[in-house]
Amino acid sequence: MNSFIESKLTGTRRPIAAMALTSMATVLLLGCGSGSDTAAPSDPATSLTASTPSDPDPSPASTPIPFPDPPQYIEVDVWGDERTDDVQFASPNGVAIDADGNVFTTEFNGARLRKFTPQGKLLVEWGMTGSADGLFQNPTGVAIGPEGNVYVSESGNNRVQIFTAEGEWLGSWGTFGAGDGQFQSAMVLAIEPTGHVHVSDWGNNRIQVFDLEGNFLHSYGGFGQDPGELANPTGIKIGPDGNIWVVDRGNNRVQVFTPDGQSVRVWGSFGTEPGRFSTPTSINFDLDGYVYVSETRGSRVQIFTRDGQLIGEVAPGTFNGPHGLAFDSTGALYVADTGNDVIRKFEKVETATQ
């Protein structure tokens, strides 16, 4: 078991607090004051207020940059807690949603994939521990292809498997190693509308790109801290801009690449303060294009603008080592709360100012 696996599965499990379905999962709105802010200029937690000229010229002060209203959510369901004895999870991590709104989940320790309705009714499940076709060893990521097929990445078996939406095995690719098409923990995957499959290759510090049948196309990344370099990448998502957004976990930051692997933007730094990262793991976008990043050690889900400015946090104090994030067509947010062994569903609350 590699260091990532050990780190994300250890720690004391927190009990899940009983929550009324009408209680508000508050979103932490950050202030814009700069009096105690000592962060570097590139830190996403820096103030968004434009500076006032220091010279005595009586020209009007700069107009403050408006701070986006943070999305607000209410928790409407929890799958796998003591209220749902018929469904239990063993370290859920990957979450994906198909065109019909069905929710697919992977379980790191459960070695299975499940398909649910949006209301949490279990439709089908498949898999058990093993390395044969259709079996799993520490499945981590799940994504839906353009034809509705289900792609699952496995950390333990260093491969990607393909299934129909009902669990019929269609194929697989990948072995252990550092060559093209090989993995040292295939962590998470994202699929472009073109059909190109981007897979985060944890131990090789790179992203590999394949076609839908698993034919290798190219790779990008490589170990390091410079822009375009990676350290144990995990979460990956196709952004609204068509670029590839990668959680550079070992460097505690987010990187943005073009589909052919050219570095576009880098933001984030290590820390437990708002706007910084403590072991980030997954990334996704809501319907408005805001960026959501989950943290295993930070046990939180933070919300950013696409240029890395923090605007809020989902349900502070709720999560224990969260991983996968997914949004459905209504804007509902699903979070794999790994340390608490549950899937949480939140619905967005529209406010008068939004």
PDB file of all heavy atoms in Angstrom, residues 82 100 103 128 132 147 174 208 211 325 353:
ATOM      1  N   GLU A  82     -26.630   5.748   9.843  1.00  0.00           N
ATOM      2  CA  GLU A  82     -27.429   4.832  10.650  1.00  0.00           C
ATOM      3  C   GLU A  82     -28.907   4.827  10.249  1.00  0.00           C
ATOM      4  O   GLU A  82     -29.653   3.925  10.607  1.00  0.00           O
ATOM      5  CB  GLU A  82     -27.304   5.201  12.137  1.00  0.00           C
ATOM      6  CG  GLU A  82     -27.836   6.579  12.503  1.00  0.00           C
ATOM      7  CD  GLU A  82     -26.802   7.676  12.309  1.00  0.00           C
ATOM      8  OE1 GLU A  82     -25.722   7.393  11.758  1.00  0.00           O
ATOM      9  OE2 GLU A  82     -27.075   8.828  12.723  1.00  0.00           O
ATOM     10  N   ASP A 100     -28.846  10.604 -17.224  1.00  0.00           N
ATOM     11  CA  ASP A 100     -30.170  10.401 -16.642  1.00  0.00           C
ATOM     12  C   ASP A 100     -30.226  10.777 -15.164  1.00  0.00           C
ATOM     13  O   ASP A 100     -31.274  10.608 -14.526  1.00  0.00           O
ATOM     14  CB  ASP A 100     -30.603   8.945 -16.805  1.00  0.00           C
ATOM     15  CG  ASP A 100     -30.754   8.560 -18.268  1.00  0.00           C
ATOM     16  OD1 ASP A 100     -31.229   9.399 -19.057  1.00  0.00           O
ATOM     17  OD2 ASP A 100     -30.369   7.425 -18.628  1.00  0.00           O
ATOM     18  N   VAL A 103     -26.456   8.085 -10.108  1.00  0.00           N
ATOM     19  CA  VAL A 103     -25.221   8.367  -9.377  1.00  0.00           C
ATOM     20  C   VAL A 103     -24.409   7.082  -9.242  1.00  0.00           C
ATOM     21  O   VAL A 103     -24.915   6.071  -8.741  1.00  0.00           O
ATOM     22  CB  VAL A 103     -25.531   8.941  -7.979  1.00  0.00           C
ATOM     23  CG1 VAL A 103     -24.242   9.282  -7.242  1.00  0.00           C
ATOM     24  CG2 VAL A 103     -26.428  10.182  -8.097  1.00  0.00           C
ATOM     25  N   MET A 128     -15.960  -7.192  -6.591  1.00  0.00           N
ATOM     26  CA  MET A 128     -15.457  -7.668  -5.314  1.00  0.00           C
ATOM     27  C   MET A 128     -13.932  -7.652  -5.439  1.00  0.00           C
ATOM     28  O   MET A 128     -13.384  -7.349  -6.497  1.00  0.00           O
ATOM     29  CB  MET A 128     -15.977  -9.071  -4.984  1.00  0.00           C
ATOM     30  CG  MET A 128     -15.648 -10.113  -6.033  1.00  0.00           C
ATOM     31  SD  MET A 128     -16.435 -11.713  -5.704  1.00  0.00           S
ATOM     32  CE  MET A 128     -15.705 -12.151  -4.144  1.00  0.00           C
ATOM     33  N   ALA A 132      -9.083 -10.149 -11.538  1.00  0.00           N
ATOM     34  CA  ALA A 132      -9.674 -10.643 -12.781  1.00  0.00           C
ATOM     35  C   ALA A 132     -10.583  -9.572 -13.382  1.00  0.00           C
ATOM     36  O   ALA A 132     -10.894  -8.559 -12.751  1.00  0.00           O
ATOM     37  CB  ALA A 132     -10.457 -11.925 -12.510  1.00  0.00           C
ATOM     38  N   GLU A 147     -20.818   7.655 -24.595  1.00  0.00           N
ATOM     39  CA  GLU A 147     -21.858   6.695 -24.956  1.00  0.00           C
ATOM     40  C   GLU A 147     -22.541   6.088 -23.735  1.00  0.00           C
ATOM     41  O   GLU A 147     -23.341   5.156 -23.858  1.00  0.00           O
ATOM     42  CB  GLU A 147     -21.262   5.583 -25.821  1.00  0.00           C
ATOM     43  CG  GLU A 147     -20.731   6.085 -27.165  1.00  0.00           C
ATOM     44  CD  GLU A 147     -20.159   4.965 -28.016  1.00  0.00           C
ATOM     45  OE1 GLU A 147     -20.061   3.827 -27.509  1.00  0.00           O
ATOM     46  OE2 GLU A 147     -19.815   5.236 -29.179  1.00  0.00           O
ATOM     47  N   GLY A 174      -3.930  -1.200 -18.907  1.00  0.00           N
ATOM     48  CA  GLY A 174      -3.004  -0.748 -17.882  1.00  0.00           C
ATOM     49  C   GLY A 174      -2.368  -1.887 -17.101  1.00  0.00           C
ATOM     50  O   GLY A 174      -3.006  -2.895 -16.807  1.00  0.00           O
ATOM     51  N   GLN A 208      -1.775  10.731 -18.027  1.00  0.00           N
ATOM     52  CA  GLN A 208      -1.725  10.013 -19.295  1.00  0.00           C
ATOM     53  C   GLN A 208      -3.067  10.168 -20.021  1.00  0.00           C
ATOM     54  O   GLN A 208      -4.124  10.219 -19.390  1.00  0.00           O
ATOM     55  CB  GLN A 208      -1.422   8.535 -19.073  1.00  0.00           C
ATOM     56  CG  GLN A 208      -0.031   8.264 -18.493  1.00  0.00           C
ATOM     57  CD  GLN A 208       0.369   6.821 -18.693  1.00  0.00           C
ATOM     58  OE1 GLN A 208       0.642   6.373 -19.809  1.00  0.00           O
ATOM     59  NE2 GLN A 208       0.412   6.060 -17.594  1.00  0.00           N
ATOM     60  N   ASP A 211      -7.444   7.081 -25.859  1.00  0.00           N
ATOM     61  CA  ASP A 211      -8.754   7.127 -26.495  1.00  0.00           C
ATOM     62  C   ASP A 211      -9.703   6.240 -25.696  1.00  0.00           C
ATOM     63  O   ASP A 211      -9.311   5.630 -24.679  1.00  0.00           O
ATOM     64  CB  ASP A 211      -8.683   6.749 -27.976  1.00  0.00           C
ATOM     65  CG  ASP A 211      -8.269   5.297 -28.220  1.00  0.00           C
ATOM     66  OD1 ASP A 211      -8.357   4.450 -27.295  1.00  0.00           O
ATOM     67  OD2 ASP A 211      -7.837   5.003 -29.357  1.00  0.00           O
ATOM     68  N   LEU A 325     -16.377  14.596  -5.755  1.00  0.00           N
ATOM     69  CA  LEU A 325     -17.400  15.633  -5.843  1.00  0.00           C
ATOM     70  C   LEU A 325     -18.109  15.488  -7.183  1.00  0.00           C
ATOM     71  O   LEU A 325     -17.469  15.249  -8.206  1.00  0.00           O
ATOM     72  CB  LEU A 325     -16.778  17.025  -5.770  1.00  0.00           C
ATOM     73  CG  LEU A 325     -15.833  17.321  -4.604  1.00  0.00           C
ATOM     74  CD1 LEU A 325     -15.093  18.637  -4.849  1.00  0.00           C
ATOM     75  CD2 LEU A 325     -16.612  17.382  -3.294  1.00  0.00           C
ATOM     76  N   THR A 353     -29.984  37.749  -3.421  1.00  0.00           N
ATOM     77  CA  THR A 353     -28.876  38.490  -4.012  1.00  0.00           C
ATOM     78  C   THR A 353     -28.206  37.726  -5.131  1.00  0.00           C
ATOM     79  O   THR A 353     -27.319  38.232  -5.791  1.00  0.00           O
ATOM     80  CB  THR A 353     -27.814  38.817  -2.939  1.00  0.00           C
ATOM     81  OG1 THR A 353     -27.354  37.594  -2.352  1.00  0.00           O
ATOM     82  CG2 THR A 353     -28.419  39.706  -1.874  1.00  0.00           C
TER      83      THR A 353
END
